[in-house]
Amino acid sequence: MHAAQYRLANGLLVNLRQDPGATQASALVHLSAGSLHEPEAWPGLAHLLEHVLFAGSERFQGEERLMAWTPARGGRLNATTQAASTAWFVEVAAPDLPDATARLVDMLQRPLLTTEAIRQEAAAIDAEYRMLAQHRETLSEAALSKAFAAPHPLHRFHVGSQTHFGQDLPALRQALRAYHQQFFHTARLTLWLQGPQSLAELRQLAATWGGEFQQATPQAGWSAADSTARLPPSAWPPALVLRPERQFRLQLPGAERLQFSFLIASPEPQTFSLLQELLGDTASHSLLATLRAHGLCDEIDLLEPYRSDAQAVISVVFHLCDSADVKSEAVASVPAAVEALFGHWLKLLSSLTAQQLHHYAALSCRRFARLSSLDRLRAQAFGLPPATEEMLAQSDAWPDLLRQLRPETMTRLHISADAVAESVTVQGFMLNLSAGRAPEKLLVPDTWAENAGLTFADSPLPVPPSLPAERVPLSHFPALCAPVLLLNPINGGLSAAQAALTDAVLQTISGACRHQGGELHFERRQGSWLLRLSGSQALMLAALNEMNNRLRAPAAADIALGERLARRAAQQQRGDIAVRALLAALPLAITHQRQAGSHADAFTPVSSGADRPAGTLLLNEPAPLSAISLSAVGWEATLYGGDKALYLALSRLLSRFPGQFPFPQPPGASQAPAELKAEAQEAARYLFPTKSPDAAVLLFCPLAEHDAVCLAAWQLIAAFAEPPFFQQFRMEKQTGYVVSCRFHQSAGAAGVLFALQSATFTAEQLYWEIGEFIAGMADVICQITTEALQEKARTLRLVEGETLPENLDAVLSAWQKQQLTLPVLTQEMLNSLTSARLRRYYQQLAEAPWRWIRISNQ
């Protein structure tokens, strides 16, 4: 990837990234001002401006503004307001980057800031505030602020609410104008562009639109001619100062967590990525593997809840196991044992050799390369960029970080459901929070200390002694990238318990693969479980052999880990934002419908009532893993790239993989959900209770016909429905913060997905509103001409050329399409989709509610 950094004549800092193999391109504008910079009289003002800027600008309004234009072209966009910065970003097909950049710049430089838009977005932020008041991560971050001395703007309320915005909209508009005029100038703005275009093309694009930003007035310590110049210290937020009392207990429902936080001066974000790589290592004898082996902790996260020009706060979060899971009688306190082992591990970091540091930096770069175009740009602009060899060779940033990771400056936050705490208001949130105390010193047992080392060169995975003669069906597609083996359960046929067991078994194998130059991942992708393996031929065969042996006869430790992972996943899902929780449950409901009641043990009928019709099914908790077997699971195996020798070796070695490998269905073979009886006249209803008090509903309308033209019609219906759905429910009816209508693929099924979450509507009301919207879409569909239909199809690029995958993203995209087992859409097929035919498809969607799948949390 080629890069360039420079300043335009108006002083705007520009960062360009050429990504030759990408099909998507991204633009991002970063503002060095955030919640800490808003006036004390207007809490939430920075967050509100972030929202209102999307509502329209002088040049682009209505359907042409970025918020409406981007999804209509199949792109995505978002924004984020942080303590000391704000960012707006968009990802589109590469040819659309100039138009996207024009809209992004115009909305930031020349916003309309209409009173109506301010009113609507203030209501949306109020709904977001109520939602965040139940969000564990938000509340934990608020609790952490108590570690810093007051007064400091960090302690103020920053999300925003109707109460704080008030009813004087002209005054609020004036405050927004003043904030915009004060901070939106080139000394505080940075433009990022990334795409397959040449650096010369990106440079021209930056000159065309970046030059429109307001030039900063000269100030001490900053020069428009210096691309490395930073804002002077006088423009930075006040410095954070640690309080002496930094031990806290926070009462929250859900799994127990232990969070250690450090205040870092002169932060270098690349070092945080390096630390993240070391903490997340799953190979044997790593910190995480040792904690898991002793039943103390199953996951470690690295968070960065605060960053300014001069300081950052990083938090290491340990997801603790229950005391009943501990494997040693010598452990009286799980938090104390985790802290002792973590402290021992921190001391070992200083013993890393230069070779080891460069190895982990390379792993960080490989992880970064797997991100999407937009996520890579976000990481570079305001997240955690990859640790580079240049950083290690040219600076003392890593030793500086280690010197600041000291127990005496550490903040401890213990989060548990049974914490005894007082009710206090922190950053506008009501918390059950009290002072804690540091745990008693615990000596790490010698055997633990020996195992909790730093894995650098695990013993190579054993090579299979011989290959079996038997072979299984293995689809093989050419690719222009390194070979990738994909395994997925057919029709989503993997229960939550089976998935947890598989995940547990693969953890240390995955870590070993990464250290030896390969990748092994097991994850949910668009609702389908996917096992992905890549690397050299020898490594792929060795890893597959190890998987075969361990999955066929899981060790007791793997079963125990799987039990804990399943339990934690269920807890996290129920405690998540309600719509996200329902989206995670959708694949199981689709599988149940498709196979006319498969996974019956995952559902329980619930009693009918006034708000719960007969036939509603409740999703159950995962079954115990001790009785779980993978032998009956049907798998589909696909190899992209690689030669015939690798293909034959893998197809033979897969015969030892637990499960069945039937011959894959040809394109066009039906995968549609089982047809329900029309006289039911109702959507299949699934209930997934969540901890959120908001009502949430998902309505999934799968394809009515299993062919490529119907797929194109459903994509077009979703594209035409998305703008009025958002306008009606987010702007006019103001149902809540979460409003979504889009084409969606999950568990091998495709359809139109409607999603609403509300604090003021019930689930039944939301479902009724969605049904009314679908019925009312008839007027919109009837007005679409064949010409407008074909233009929208071109915009969405529904017809794609036959090209070989050049990278992992292209491989996964090709695999995703193959899950639908549909022929490739040709231009001739698309030309047959007239406006009259689209109306017939719409009628099939709207007039057959028995095909729909509804999931709600109430």
Side-chain angles (χ1 to χ4, degrees):
M1 179 181 289
H2 303 289
Q5 183 185 68
Y6 59 96
R7 285 193 186 273
L8 297 178
N10 65 351
L12 180 72
L13 183 62
V14 175
N15 284 286
L16 307 179
R17 298 288 186 273
Q18 183 196 17
D19 192 2
T23 58
Q24 301 292 102
S26 303
L28 182 150
V29 174
H30 180 267
L31 171 69
S32 293
S35 297
L36 299 186
H37 297 83
E38 64 196 13
E40 189 170 357
W42 292 102
L45 190 74
H47 187 197
L48 178 60
L49 183 61
E50 173 224 304
H51 278 238
V52 177
L53 290 177
F54 282 111
S57 59
E58 290 183 8
R59 293 185 56 202
F60 302 102
Q61 303 169 27
E63 296 303 305
E64 286 300 308
R65 62 195 172 97
L66 188 70
M67 176 64 82
W69 179 88
T70 301
R73 303 187 75 83
R76 60 183 181 131
L77 76 168
N78 211 331
T80 181
T81 300
Q82 300 179 347
S85 67
T86 314
W88 295 262
F89 34 90
V90 57
E91 181 183 60
V92 291
D96 291 333
L97 181 61
D99 290 337
T101 306
R103 287 164 170 79
L104 177 62
V105 170
D106 199 63
M107 82 176 202
L108 297 178
Q109 181 62 23
R110 290 179 286 273
L112 296 179
L113 301 184
T114 66
T115 302
E116 180 59 19
I118 294 170
R119 183 189 64 79
Q120 292 171 344
E121 292 307 320
I125 285 179
D126 191 70
E128 183 180 0
Y129 166 56
R130 291 195 298 268
M131 181 176 66
L132 293 176
Q134 308 295 325
H135 190 231
R136 282 173 60 94
E137 283 67 28
T138 299
L139 301 181
S140 299
E141 186 174 322
L144 177 60
S145 69
K146 295 288 287 183
F148 304 103
H152 192 281
L154 183 69
H155 294 286
R156 300 201 302 251
F157 177 58
H158 298 300
V159 176
S161 70
Q162 289 281 27
T163 301
H164 291 85
F165 293 141
Q167 301 301 316
D168 190 347
L169 291 179
L172 181 55
R173 184 173 187 266
Q174 181 56 39
L176 290 167
R177 280 283 182 201
Y179 183 92
H180 184 268
Q181 291 170 2
Q182 181 180 358
F183 294 110
F184 280 65
H185 53 73
T186 54
R188 289 186 178 269
L189 291 168
T190 303
L191 174 64
W192 294 75
L193 297 175
Q194 178 171 293
Q197 294 89 342
S198 68
L199 283 180
E201 291 174 294
L202 294 174
R203 187 180 288 268
Q204 180 58 50
L205 186 58
T208 300
W209 299 112
E212 297 198 1
F213 282 113
Q214 174 187 339
Q215 184 166 349
T217 56
Q219 52 187 300
W222 181 84
S223 168
D226 184 359
S227 64
T228 63
R230 302 168 64 190
L231 286 169
S234 60
W236 298 352
L240 289 174
V241 178
L242 287 170
R243 295 175 58 226
E245 302 81 17
R246 297 189 307 279
Q247 329 290 335
F248 302 100
R249 290 178 60 85
L250 176 63
Q251 190 275 319
L252 283 178
E256 189 175 6
R257 294 191 303 188
L258 190 60
Q259 181 170 321
F260 299 134
S261 301
F262 303 87
L263 179 61
I264 307 298
S266 303
E268 170 49 73
Q270 288 191 33
T271 62
F272 301 163
S273 290
L274 187 57
L275 180 62
Q276 182 182 53
E277 204 63 45
L278 289 157
L279 287 166
D281 190 359
T282 62
S284 58
H285 307 307
S286 65
L287 172 64
L288 182 53
T290 303
L291 290 168
R292 285 173 169 173
H294 294 287
L296 297 173
C297 165
D298 289 328
E299 299 290 342
I300 306 175
D301 295 325
L302 180 70
L303 307 178
E304 188 191 22
Y306 177 87
R307 185 196 298 177
S308 69
D309 295 85
Q311 295 175 304
V313 176
I314 58 172
S315 298
V316 182
V317 182
F318 295 86
H319 298 258
L320 304 183
C321 301
D322 295 336
S323 57
D325 297 318
V326 177
K327 305 301 180 185
S328 172
E329 295 182 358
V331 176
S333 167
V334 172
V338 169
E339 180 168 346
L341 202 53
F342 178 56
H344 167 76
W345 182 83
L346 282 177
K347 293 177 182 177
L348 293 178
L349 290 180
S350 60
S351 66
L352 279 168
T353 66
Q355 184 183 17
Q356 289 174 319
L357 284 172
H358 285 286
H359 172 74
Y360 279 100
L363 294 182
S364 169
C365 291
R366 279 168 46 194
R367 186 185 301 276
F368 174 80
R370 295 199 310 269
L371 300 176
S372 69
S373 171
L374 181 57
D375 290 338
R376 289 197 299 273
L377 204 58
R378 283 162 43 95
Q380 292 278 10
F382 60 87
L384 300 185
T388 63
E389 294 195 1
E390 290 76 14
M391 180 273 293
L392 292 173
Q394 299 174 8
S395 76
D396 294 325
W398 178 249
D400 287 344
L401 175 64
L402 295 186
R403 281 191 288 270
Q404 299 183 74
L405 300 180
R406 295 177 292 120
E408 54 267 30
T409 61
M410 186 171 72
T411 297
R412 297 172 179 85
L413 177 62
H414 185 194
I415 306 166
S416 65
D418 57 358
V420 178
E422 301 174 355
S423 293
V424 294
T425 300
V426 183
Q427 289 187 341
F429 296 101
M430 185 62 69
L431 303 180
N432 292 323
L433 181 70
S434 64
R437 55 189 177 88
E440 297 181 4
K441 293 293 183 181
L442 178 70
L443 295 177
V444 178
D446 291 341
T447 54
W448 293 19
E450 292 171 3
N451 289 335
L454 298 167
T455 300
F456 169 57
D458 258 11
S459 301
L461 292 168
V463 177
S466 62
L467 295 175
E470 183 183 356
R471 291 171 51 191
V472 300
L474 173 62
S475 300
H476 190 195
F477 297 98
L480 301 178
C481 57
V484 181
L485 175 66
L486 302 178
L487 299 178
N488 62 277
I490 297 172
N491 292 337
L494 200 65
S495 69
Q498 290 170 324
L501 177 60
T502 304
D503 190 21
V505 170
L506 298 184
Q507 289 291 318
T508 55
I509 307 175
S510 174
C513 277
R514 297 199 73 230
H515 284 292
Q516 296 173 40
E519 297 286 345
L520 172 61
H521 293 273
F522 182 66
E523 59 193 359
R524 265 269 172 83
R525 187 171 182 84
Q526 289 291 318
S528 297
W529 285 105
L530 179 65
L531 191 156
R532 169 167 53 89
L533 174 64
S534 59
S536 66
Q537 176 167 330
L539 179 60
M540 290 179 72
L541 294 177
L544 180 55
N545 179 63
E546 188 72 6
M547 284 190 281
N548 290 344
N549 294 335
R550 292 181 57 179
L551 284 171
R552 293 177 76 90
D558 290 332
I559 293 175
L561 174 59
E563 292 272 12
R564 300 197 302 268
L565 293 179
R567 192 164 61 238
R568 175 163 286 107
Q571 289 176 337
Q572 289 176 340
Q573 185 178 353
R574 294 192 186 280
D576 202 351
I577 292 172
V579 159
R580 288 182 190 167
L582 300 187
L583 195 59
L586 179 60
L588 196 57
I590 290 174
T591 303
H592 182 267
Q593 282 298 102
R594 174 190 290 122
Q595 299 181 6
S598 81
H599 290 318
D601 58 340
F603 302 96
T604 300
V606 296
S607 302
S608 59
D611 60 346
R612 199 170 284 170
T616 302
L617 296 171
L618 173 68
L619 274 70
N620 297 332
E621 298 284 351
L625 268 66
S626 55
I628 292 298
S629 170
L630 298 173
S631 60
V633 175
W635 294 89
E636 181 179 54
T638 310
L639 175 66
Y640 287 89
D643 56 20
K644 187 174 182 179
L646 177 63
Y647 163 75
L648 292 173
L650 289 173
S651 67
R652 292 170 65 182
L653 199 53
L654 280 169
S655 67
R656 292 178 178 165
F657 193 87
Q660 312 297 321
F661 288 85
F663 283 96
Q665 293 182 314
S670 177
Q671 293 282 318
E675 186 69 41
L676 303 181
K677 294 183 179 180
E679 55 265 25
Q681 294 295 321
E682 273 291 345
R685 293 175 178 247
Y686 297 89
L687 179 66
F688 187 84
T690 64
K691 293 177 181 176
S692 170
D694 290 0
V697 170
L698 292 187
L699 184 65
F700 182 68
C701 305
L703 303 184
E705 299 176 9
H706 195 70
D707 62 55
V709 179
C710 183
L711 175 67
W714 250 242
Q715 290 173 284
L716 289 163
I717 290 170
F720 283 116
E722 182 174 12
F725 189 82
F726 186 88
Q727 176 67 26
Q728 179 174 330
F729 292 107
R730 176 71 179 277
M731 302 299 186
E732 298 170 7
K733 297 190 176 182
Q734 296 182 357
T735 56
Y737 179 68
V738 180
V739 174
S740 178
C741 166
R742 67 181 188 270
F743 179 80
H744 185 70
Q745 184 174 334
S746 179
V752 180
L753 179 69
F754 302 91
L756 292 174
Q757 180 172 329
S758 175
T760 56
F761 287 64
T762 67
E764 280 302 312
Q765 288 172 330
L766 293 177
Y767 175 58
W768 183 87
E769 292 282 359
I770 295 173
E772 288 295 294
F773 174 84
I774 293 173
M777 270 295 294
D779 293 337
V780 176
I781 298 297
C782 288
Q783 294 174 12
I784 299 171
T785 65
T786 298
E787 291 74 19
L789 184 65
Q790 293 297 325
E791 175 59 29
K792 178 68 75 173
R794 284 190 291 272
T795 298
L796 295 176
R797 294 174 175 83
L798 298 183
V799 177
E800 299 179 0
E802 292 287 341
T803 59
L804 297 180
E806 298 182 355
N807 50 43
L808 179 60
D809 283 345
V811 165
L812 294 175
S813 177
W815 172 83
Q816 193 75 39
K817 294 170 185 173
Q818 287 162 1
Q819 294 307 292
L820 298 176
T821 65
L822 288 172
V824 175
L825 181 71
T826 65
Q827 188 62 50
E828 183 180 4
M829 291 179 184
L830 186 59
N831 291 341
S832 71
L833 185 56
T834 62
S835 57
R837 190 172 181 185
L838 184 72
R839 288 194 291 272
R840 290 197 296 273
Y841 278 123
Y842 161 74
Q843 289 173 340
Q844 287 181 299
L845 184 155
E847 298 175 5
W850 55 88
R851 291 196 185 98
W852 301 348
I853 296 175
R854 167 196 162 165
I855 307 181
S856 65
N857 65 338
Q858 296 179 355

